[in-house]
Amino acid sequence: MRNNKIIRRALILIVPIFVLTSCVTLGDVLASSQSGATSTTTSNSGQTSETPGGNPYPLDGTYGTNTYEHPISANPDRLDNYYLVEDISLNNQLVPNYEVSNTMGLAHLDSIANQKMMVVPLRFTDTPASYGSDATIQGAINRAFFGATSDTGWESVASYYYKSSYGKLNLTGEIMPIFDLGYSTSDLLAKPVDGHQYWDKSHHVLEQVYNTYYASKLKEYDVNSDGYVDSVFFVYLAPVDHESDESVFWAFQYFWNHYPDTNKPPFSAYAWASYEFMVEAPGYTYLKPSAHTYIHESGHILSFDDYYDYDGTIAPAGAIDMMDHNIIDHNMFSKFVANWSTPYVPVGNSDITIGPAATTGDFVIINDGWNGHQYDEYILIEYYTPTGLNEHDSLSVSGYGGVKGYSVPGVRIWHVDARLLMISTDYRATKRWTDVMVPYNTGSYMDFATSNTPSYNLAHSSLRKLHLLDGRGRAQTWGNNLVRADNSALFQTGTIIASDDWQRYLLKRSTFNDGSEIGYSIEIGAMNNDGVTIKIRKA
């Protein structure tokens, strides 16, 4: 949820590995990884670097090697030099959505198949009486989380994710009886945060709920038997605090710092939001609620990052996305991370016709040196239409909360840089680039090298994880968070990006961030309701 308080999610990437892997000694650090490191040279400044012309941000070198090979070779006399990547059920090169966080000792919800979410309403002694009876409150929450489309003002959390995933994620669960905390909202604000047992004031609530619930109920929500409740969403029965950047009365996703226990699974990934988010935007009621905020926070439970800038200086993704301004469908990068769809990959001259992303899941990625899984750098192309999950927020008069999606069809082109780092848990915190997944508790963990927030980048502040290219041909950063992309950001038929003209669209560079050439030109071909042809030519 857009607010400075969302820093809770960012902090989990720094703190927990040292808490949850405290049994690792300095002698164990990197012991299992040194043999996999590639050779590096050291400059006079002490910074390691790779071969000349390589990665301009070498950090502490590279762990492992990219061994992926494209399954086809290019034929210069043909225009079908592309292939469709196999689904994760047939392709062990792809990475489950939870695997990166697992290396930190954390657990995101699996994005595939039948999954369960526990929803816990929280009552304070000063919860407004105007919310109504327990049955009224539980009914509204149930509609927002598990109701049919017709039960809501748009979609419920469950109906949204079933549609967004093309039927691959079936989210079920229950609204638990309202949990009486026995103290006021002011009492919760007064509770301590010590950085060890209680990382956040909400942890006091989690502890109370966990100690009260029976083990048998918690085990029902450990579908994958990893010793954690797979997902839990706390809906606090209190107003939203829009004023304080430090208040717990906002919306966020975080983690509870407890070890797994198969006998009584503790919470791990959890979301937290107000009952009033259902009606915060105009046009929604508790009988026809909005689940936009709950859907956004549930995206974090599935491991999706925020795509806006916490620093408030830029808007790399243009603001129009569920993980940006809480609107429309997820973009195809998020869906790729979730393994809901796989891309077409060109290896030479190709004319690729893709259908609307909202209904087909079609998309294209471009990078001859691709490592074979989601976490790499590439150009991503998808066909946006104001249909399906995009329609409501794009074609209504005011969108959602005054923010509207694109009202016309067009091609969205993204520069994705989701490369990974292997980071040691010792005092040196060495950072190495890696295409290889690192197991948990090996003296290292994995994290993303880049972020859409400059101050959170682990490689270099100029890099962005997900950057929307501007159809007008500018290296657009969308100015600041008050500026949003509009219909002109979409690429239309006839637009060409020449192989030597990428600098007009990327952020101050003509190559990929790793220094390699993009090596292709793109032309947007014929477009209609059924699809668009992308003409890709090798330089």
Side-chain angles (χ1 to χ4, degrees):
M1 184 69 179
R2 176 178 293 277
N3 190 283
N4 289 341
K5 306 176 197 95
I6 201 67
I7 197 169
R8 290 182 179 86
R9 282 205 76 251
L11 289 176
I12 62 95
L13 301 180
I14 303 170
V15 177
I17 189 66
F18 301 102
V19 176
L20 296 177
T21 63
S22 57
C23 59
V24 178
T25 66
L26 291 178
D28 295 328
V29 170
L30 296 180
S32 63
S33 61
Q34 294 294 341
S35 61
T38 59
S39 60
T40 59
T41 59
T42 304
S43 65
N44 292 334
S45 64
Q47 182 184 40
T48 59
S49 61
E50 299 180 60
T51 55
N55 192 339
Y57 311 103
L59 303 179
D60 295 303
T62 302
Y63 172 82
T65 57
N66 176 10
T67 59
Y68 181 75
E69 295 182 1
H70 295 289
I72 64 171
S73 299
N75 182 337
D77 298 324
R78 300 175 62 95
L79 295 177
D80 60 354
N81 295 294
Y82 63 91
Y83 63 96
L84 178 63
V85 176
E86 289 186 314
D87 183 86
I88 191 172
S89 62
L90 303 171
N91 182 358
N92 61 12
Q93 192 78 23
L94 296 179
V95 179
N97 68 298
Y98 51 79
E99 191 159 333
V100 174
S101 59
N102 280 180
T103 70
M104 305 180 194
L106 305 171
H108 280 110
L109 177 66
D110 191 340
S111 57
I112 298 292
N114 298 321
Q115 304 298 337
K116 297 185 72 172
M117 175 179 286
M118 176 186 288
V119 182
V120 183
L122 302 170
R123 179 158 49 208
F124 298 89
T125 55
D126 54 347
T127 287
S130 60
Y131 291 168
S133 66
D134 286 16
T136 297
I137 293 169
Q138 287 178 290
I141 297 174
N142 187 67
R143 286 188 287 275
F145 278 86
F146 303 115
T149 300
S150 59
D151 296 328
T152 73
W154 178 40
E155 300 284 348
S156 69
V157 174
S159 68
Y160 177 95
Y161 278 102
Y162 186 80
K163 294 177 181 180
S164 186
S165 68
Y166 314 107
K168 291 189 175 182
L169 175 59
N170 182 34
L171 193 61
T172 61
E174 64 185 308
I175 311 303
M176 301 294 288
I178 296 176
F179 192 94
D180 283 298
L181 291 166
Y183 52 78
S184 69
T185 53
S186 297
D187 291 333
L188 178 58
L189 291 174
K191 290 186 181 295
V193 173
D194 60 15
H196 180 65
Q197 183 175 0
Y198 303 107
W199 293 352
D200 189 78
K201 295 179 188 296
S202 60
H203 283 187
H204 293 274
V205 174
L206 270 68
E207 182 178 61
Q208 185 177 353
V209 173
Y210 177 75
N211 289 339
T212 303
Y213 280 3
Y214 290 117
S216 57
K217 175 55 68 176
L218 296 171
K219 289 172 74 172
E220 288 180 25
Y221 286 85
D222 182 14
V223 176
N224 62 0
S225 302
D226 67 348
Y228 287 116
V229 169
D230 294 336
S231 67
V232 59
F233 205 119
F234 294 94
V235 179
Y236 58 86
L237 303 178
V240 182
D241 181 357
H242 291 281
E243 302 302 323
S244 172
D245 286 347
E246 303 302 323
S247 176
V248 74
F249 294 108
W250 188 242
F252 58 86
Q253 183 264 313
Y254 204 37
F255 292 88
W256 199 29
N257 53 327
H258 279 60
Y259 288 103
D261 183 348
T262 55
N263 294 317
K264 188 178 182 182
F267 308 118
S268 182
Y270 71 96
W272 175 278
S274 171
Y275 181 70
E276 294 189 2
F277 278 115
M278 278 187 264
V279 297
E280 189 173 55
Y284 298 95
T285 68
Y286 288 116
L287 291 176
K288 291 285 186 176
S290 163
H292 286 76
T293 296
Y294 306 144
I295 292 167
H296 175 97
E297 300 305 335
S298 296
H300 290 316
I301 289 178
L302 292 166
S303 80
F304 303 159
D305 274 349
D306 282 314
Y307 297 137
Y308 57 82
D309 171 15
Y310 301 160
D311 295 341
T313 57
I314 58 175
I320 311 302
D321 188 77
M322 177 49 68
M323 300 312 297
D324 201 322
H325 268 69
N326 298 17
I327 64 169
I328 69 171
D329 197 2
H330 288 294
N331 65 74
M332 291 310 302
F333 169 65
S334 294
K335 296 190 183 193
F336 189 25
V337 168
N339 289 295
W340 296 337
S341 187
T342 57
Y344 292 100
V345 181
V347 297
N349 296 339
S350 301
D351 285 355
I352 307 176
T353 298
I354 54 175
T359 53
T360 68
D362 291 347
F363 68 108
V364 176
I365 66 171
I366 296 175
N367 184 351
D368 280 345
W370 181 48
N371 66 12
H373 61 69
Q374 302 95 314
Y375 304 125
D376 199 1
E377 185 178 7
Y378 42 82
I379 300 298
L380 186 151
I381 304 169
E382 62 174 303
Y383 181 32
Y384 172 91
T385 55
T387 59
L389 292 176
N390 298 323
E391 181 175 356
H392 180 85
D393 293 335
S394 300
L395 301 183
S396 61
V397 175
S398 59
Y400 174 70
V403 182
K404 296 185 65 173
Y406 309 104
S407 60
V408 300
V411 174
R412 282 199 296 189
I413 302 180
W414 304 92
H415 176 199
V416 175
D417 188 354
R419 290 175 294 163
L420 294 170
L421 299 178
M422 183 184 77
I423 305 174
S424 68
T425 57
D426 68 351
Y427 69 96
R428 294 171 295 179
T430 56
K431 295 184 290 188
R432 299 178 180 180
W433 297 97
T434 181
D435 293 314
V436 181
M437 303 306 293
V438 178
Y440 171 55
N441 212 5
T442 58
S444 298
Y445 65 100
M446 303 190 75
D447 200 354
F448 293 100
T450 63
S451 169
N452 275 16
T453 297
S455 64
Y456 291 173
N457 270 284
L458 297 179
H460 193 275
S461 62
S462 68
L463 307 182
R464 301 292 173 265
K465 187 174 185 179
L466 185 67
H467 169 222
L468 179 69
L469 275 59
D470 184 3
R472 291 168 291 186
R474 299 185 299 172
Q476 179 64 273
T477 62
W478 304 109
N480 56 56
N481 278 332
L482 300 178
V483 178
R484 304 165 189 144
D486 56 27
N487 291 343
S488 65
L490 301 178
F491 289 74
Q492 302 297 336
T493 297
T495 305
I496 298 173
I497 302 179
S499 61
D500 60 355
D501 198 27
W502 284 97
Q503 190 165 1
R504 280 209 300 141
Y505 297 88
L506 302 181
L507 294 174
K508 301 179 182 179
R509 53 175 53 88
S510 59
T511 65
F512 284 119
N513 291 335
D514 70 357
S516 63
E517 295 291 332
I518 295 173
Y520 287 90
S521 66
I522 296 172
E523 179 180 353
I524 310 303
M527 182 187 304
N528 57 37
N529 292 338
D530 296 324
V532 60
T533 298
I534 310 298
K535 300 179 179 181
I536 301 168
R537 299 294 183 265
K538 184 77 172 175

